[in-house]
């Protein structure tokens, strides 16, 4: 399979309702990234509506701007769950297609594993730190970057910081692996890394038709950039990566990724777009049109 052809995940499995002669596309839900707002996704929304006639596209604003930083990722997941659960159009369909960008991919995955109402048919994680992040990205103002850097260095896994800083929820320090597993309120939880497993997480992931995940080969925000494929820095080093297939989470299939992979439903892709270019015409259109439409 072509590395990007995974985008078949997006949509866009088409199905026809018995009650209608017209072919109907499943709704598409878009989740913006950190410091972003749903207005960042306006082009994507317009493009989908134009090329998938009649499709319902929902882009959720999770606070945006600095609120997407200084707010627990769990709170943002709860908001997404609430917004989608009360949407009557989404609820009228048997399932949705879900696309999350950057931090939005983490929030979307949280929705998938913890709520899944309405059910996700296909999930696309676009340049999202699924394996965790280690390094404060240089895309915010320098003062805030220094503050975040100081906070995660001293207190990354303290409960109070986990509950006010979104990045802390998926911060994965290779020099503090035990503290990460015990203290992370999000990533260690949805990865089922603790002794007590939540079997609903695996059940919900295994209901997916496709899970597509990608990272940018030129990403200068995510660290490591391969985190988009669930890779993370190996214990006590930043010189070596532990890839998904080498992780116990995958080997013992704690959340269903191995079964998805073995059944041909876990797809990987890369792009040459900058981290923040996912919503741009020159990045999104060629990838999407070539591999989905």
């Amino acid at each position: 399979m072509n590395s990007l052809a995974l985008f078949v995940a997006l949509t866009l499995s088409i199905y026809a309702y018995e009650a209608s002669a017209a072919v109907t596309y499943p709704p598409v839900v878009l989740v913006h990234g950190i410091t972003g707002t749903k207005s960042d996704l306006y082009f994507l929304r317009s493009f989908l509506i134009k090329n998938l006639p009649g499709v319902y596209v929902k882009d959720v604003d999770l606070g945006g701007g600095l609120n997407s930083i200084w707010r627990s990722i769990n709170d943002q997941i709860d908001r997404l769950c609430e917004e989608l659960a009360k949407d009557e159009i989404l609820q009228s369909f048997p399932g949705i297609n879900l696309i999350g960008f950057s931090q939005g991919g983490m929030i979307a995955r949280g929705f998938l594993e913890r709520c899944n109402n309405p059910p996700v048919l296909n999930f696309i994680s676009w340049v999202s730190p699924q394996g965790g992040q280690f390094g404060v990205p240089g895309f915010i103002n320098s003062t805030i970057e220094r503050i975040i850097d100081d906070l995660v260095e001293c207190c990354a896994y303290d409960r109070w910081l986990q509950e006010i800083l979104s990045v802390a929820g998926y911060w994965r320090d290779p020099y503090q692996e035990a503290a990460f597993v015990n203290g992370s309120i999000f990533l260690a939880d949805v990865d089922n890394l603790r002794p007590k497993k939540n079997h609903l997480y695996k059940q919900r992931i295994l209901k997916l038709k496709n899970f597509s995940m990608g990272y940018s080969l030129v990403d200068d925000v995510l660290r490591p950039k391969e985190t988009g494929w669930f890779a993370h820095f190996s214990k006590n080093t930043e010189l070596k990566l532990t890839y998904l297939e080498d992780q116990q989470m995958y080997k013992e299939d704690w959340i269903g990724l191995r079964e998805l992979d073995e059944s041909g439903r876990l797809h990987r892709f890369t792009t040459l777009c900058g981290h923040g270019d996912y919503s741009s015409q020159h990045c999104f259109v060629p990838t999407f049109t070539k591999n989905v439409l």
Side-chain angles (χ1 to χ4, degrees), residues 63-293:
L66 294 181
N67 289 330
S68 65
I69 300 173
W70 300 110
R71 187 180 181 191
S72 162
I73 192 167
N74 282 348
D75 288 347
Q76 296 183 59
I77 292 166
D78 289 344
R79 178 167 178 176
L80 181 62
C81 291
E82 292 167 5
E83 287 290 322
L84 302 194
K86 70 182 182 183
D87 188 303
E88 294 181 358
I89 297 177
L90 294 180
Q91 292 294 332
S92 71
F93 283 77
I96 63 171
N97 291 303
L98 181 61
I99 314 177
F101 303 93
S102 190
Q103 179 173 278
M106 307 305 286
I107 295 168
R109 184 175 152 212
F111 167 84
L112 165 63
E113 293 189 40
R114 292 176 175 174
C115 303
N116 208 31
N117 176 32
V120 180
L121 302 173
N122 299 292
F123 174 41
I124 290 184
S125 167
W126 197 320
V127 294
S128 298
Q130 298 294 348
Q133 170 79 2
F134 184 61
V136 178
F139 63 91
I140 320 167
N141 84 49
S142 57
T143 300
I144 294 177
E145 289 168 24
R146 287 195 299 270
I147 292 171
I148 294 174
D149 195 42
D150 289 343
L151 286 172
V152 293
E153 184 175 352
C154 82
C155 316
Y157 303 113
D158 288 2
R159 187 75 182 194
W160 67 269
L161 187 61
Q162 288 280 315
E163 292 181 346
I164 65 169
L165 179 65
S166 64
V167 178
Y170 51 89
W171 187 262
R172 189 160 193 166
D173 186 337
Y175 306 102
Q176 298 189 70
E177 187 68 16
F180 161 71
V181 172
N182 292 324
S184 171
I185 64 172
F186 171 66
L187 187 58
D189 174 59
V190 295
D191 278 355
N192 260 339
L193 299 183
R194 300 186 181 111
K196 185 177 180 179
K197 311 302 181 190
N198 188 326
H199 299 294
L200 283 176
Y201 293 170
K202 181 175 181 177
Q203 290 174 20
R204 287 167 178 158
I205 283 182
L206 287 177
K207 289 180 180 178
L208 290 172
K209 293 185 177 180
N210 294 281
F211 181 163
S212 295
M213 54 186 183
Y215 75 88
S216 169
L217 296 171
V218 295
D219 201 316
D220 60 357
V221 172
L222 298 187
R223 189 168 185 269
K225 59 182 180 293
E226 295 87 354
T227 182
W229 285 6
F230 282 85
H232 60 77
F233 288 121
S234 300
K235 187 175 181 179
N236 293 324
T237 182
E238 297 169 59
L239 302 177
K240 180 182 177 183
L241 297 180
T242 300
Y243 293 95
L244 176 61
E245 294 80 2
D246 297 319
Q247 298 172 30
Q248 288 302 114
M249 174 184 72
Y250 180 90
K251 293 177 180 179
E252 298 184 16
D253 210 16
W254 293 340
I255 60 171
L257 293 180
R258 190 184 72 188
E259 186 171 338
L260 279 187
D261 201 7
E262 292 174 348
S263 62
R265 292 179 287 155
L266 182 65
H267 312 283
R268 299 165 177 82
F269 67 96
T270 59
T271 78
L272 288 172
C273 304
H275 184 84
D277 288 342
Y278 57 78
S279 60
S280 66
Q281 181 173 352
H282 79 271
C283 177
F284 185 78
V285 172
T287 300
F288 191 86
T289 55
K290 179 180 179 180
N291 298 287
V292 181
L293 298 181

